[in-house]
Amino acid sequence: MPLPRTRGTALRHRLAELRGPDVPAKALDARALAALAANPGCRRRAILDGAGVNKTALASALGSPSAFGQSQFALTRGNAFEAKVKADGGAELLRLVHEKLDRAAEPPAHARVPELTATGPEGRTARTALALREAIEAPGEWTLLDHPMLALDVAGSPAFLEPDAVVVHPDGSWTVVEIKSFPMLDGSADPAKVGAAARQAAVYVLALEAVAARLESTPRVRDRVLLVCPKDFSNLPTASAVDVRKQRAVTARQLERLTRIEEIADTLPAGTCFSPELPAAELTAAVESVPATYAPECLSACELAFHCRARSLESGAVTSLGRSVRAELGGLTTVEDVLSAARGESGDPDDPAVAALRRAAQLRAEAVAGCR
Ligand code: SF4
């Protein structure tokens, strides 16, 4: 929900201060918004993204450059595959949508593919909204929107998002299509990559829902998206329907939290600034003043991962061992606490985590003794 004007203006001013004088805001794209859902508890990422800080530049200035992002080779390969999927007016793409999501509808022998070019992101967003409205006024027809532009309100400012495609079904419902260049082997793909694609698609679903809410007929945005990938080791497209309800709910919650980033900003010391122009020591202190919840998943989702991992390892935090380990260890937050509890030097013996650690330590000691 957009912020009231005065509150929104004050927040934008505060976020500009955090970003640094004359540092332009880095626009959030769907990949960045989706990554928020990969680590929903991280206040550091929330404030940096909310303030539009360029985290790639920040990571370099901190001395831990990011290795995050797609290589040029992967981008070129992805673009070539997408062009193949959308060839002939999207005939193959529409066939896959029909087969995987809407077999009851008439097969898409002919489809409308409206022209979506316009000036600037605002113009393209308006053109997309118009095309979607026209599509639902043509019931019984399939419509393919190739690279539409959607806007999503993030912390009071619009983030412009560009899904690979949106399909309007003959019943007027809308489906998000994600085209990826990682392979689908025997009908299934790498779960981590599918998860990342699902989170990204969930952001588009939210943005489409915002468009739908403004239309009188409020068309249904389908919560199953179509993921299109190369089949096995070929360049032929295959597809799978992916349910993104969970990712949609997590991302919606995260975005709501982002619109309250003033709460995080209020906890920061006066004068805190994340400008990459600052000396490394000052910048490190600013970044460390915001709590982070590092997890190994950050390595594939956040530009600051190397910095946060180093800090997490330095402090012996169990979060660097992964979320599942952290959850198993309950209130034991450092490796030192864990070892001390296992040795019987600290910890409540009635705590199930402490009891399990002591039992594991005992079994290990017996096994080691048996090997001697
Ligand atoms: S790398 Fe750091 S800032 Fe980024 S999500 Fe992980 S803990 Fe948060």
Side-chain angles (χ1 to χ4, degrees):
M1 181 186 291
L3 294 166
R5 185 177 288 272
T6 47
R7 197 171 138 227
T9 307
L11 177 60
R12 272 195 286 281
H13 186 67
R14 176 75 174 117
L15 296 179
E17 280 176 357
L18 290 174
R19 214 163 45 237
D22 306 325
V23 179
K26 185 172 187 305
L28 281 171
D29 59 14
R31 202 179 277 263
L33 288 170
L36 281 170
N39 192 354
C42 185
R43 292 163 73 87
R44 183 176 295 168
R45 176 162 194 145
I47 191 77
L48 292 174
D49 279 345
V53 172
N54 182 333
K55 298 200 297 306
T56 305
L58 178 61
S60 297
L62 287 166
S64 306
S66 130
F68 173 67
Q70 274 191 304
S71 70
Q72 194 54 44
F73 172 73
L75 282 172
T76 308
R77 201 165 135 248
N79 289 342
F81 178 65
E82 183 177 333
K84 184 179 173 74
V85 172
K86 290 179 176 170
D88 298 329
E92 178 61 8
L93 175 53
L94 289 159
R95 187 191 70 74
L96 289 167
V97 173
H98 177 258
E99 180 191 313
K100 301 291 177 184
L101 289 167
D102 201 0
R103 274 173 181 269
E106 276 293 306
H110 307 284
R112 301 167 70 248
V113 186
E115 178 57 52
L116 298 178
T117 46
T119 309
E122 287 89 354
R124 289 182 59 199
T125 304
R127 184 69 196 87
T128 296
L130 181 65
L132 284 165
R133 191 176 315 129
E134 286 170 354
I136 54 175
E137 284 165 2
E141 288 190 41
W142 290 89
T143 303
L144 170 64
L145 272 65
D146 184 5
H147 280 285
M149 181 67 74
L150 306 167
L152 188 64
D153 185 84
V154 179
S157 308
F160 293 101
L161 312 166
E162 191 175 347
D164 291 329
V166 168
V167 171
V168 181
H169 296 240
D171 66 0
S173 60
W174 301 349
T175 288
V176 169
V177 176
E178 264 299 280
I179 302 173
K180 297 292 183 193
S181 57
F182 56 79
M184 212 175 263
L185 305 172
D186 285 336
S188 63
D190 179 344
K193 290 180 175 164
V194 174
R199 286 192 294 273
Q200 200 175 330
V203 175
Y204 298 137
V205 167
L206 282 171
L208 267 182
E209 284 175 354
V211 179
R214 287 193 288 274
L215 297 179
E216 251 174 49
S217 56
T218 330
R220 176 165 72 100
V221 181
R222 292 178 175 240
D223 45 31
R224 291 204 313 153
V225 304
L226 191 77
L227 175 63
V228 184
C229 296
K231 185 174 183 334
D232 300 326
F233 297 103
S234 74
N235 204 23
L236 296 172
T238 187
S240 171
V242 181
D243 187 334
V244 298
R245 273 177 297 182
K246 190 167 149 235
Q247 293 84 351
R248 185 210 159 279
V250 172
T251 309
R253 250 197 327 274
Q254 271 301 90
L255 290 178
E256 223 169 86
R257 224 189 261 186
L258 260 190
T259 61
R260 294 198 307 269
I261 45 179
E262 69 264 46
E263 286 171 19
I264 305 176
D266 287 347
T267 65
L268 301 181
T272 299
C273 179
F274 303 111
S275 167
E277 302 297 318
L278 290 173
E282 207 175 311
L283 202 50
T284 303
V287 170
E288 291 308 308
S289 68
V290 197
T293 50
Y294 175 78
E297 291 83 351
C298 295
L299 289 169
S300 60
C302 183
E303 294 85 345
L304 283 190
F306 289 155
H307 173 83
C308 295
R309 181 177 64 174
R311 296 287 149 163
S312 174
L313 290 172
E314 262 170 40
S315 65
V318 293
T319 52
S320 51
L321 301 173
R323 290 210 183 96
S324 55
V325 176
R326 181 178 60 182
E328 293 283 337
L329 292 171
L332 302 170
T333 55
T334 67
V335 173
E336 191 43 52
D337 288 345
V338 171
L339 293 175
S340 163
R343 288 192 294 259
E345 296 164 3
S346 65
D348 176 359
D350 292 333
D351 179 335
V354 173
L357 283 166
R358 289 190 183 163
R359 177 84 184 117
Q362 187 190 351
L363 289 171
R364 180 181 178 279
E366 286 171 9
V368 170
C371 293
R372 286 197 180 123

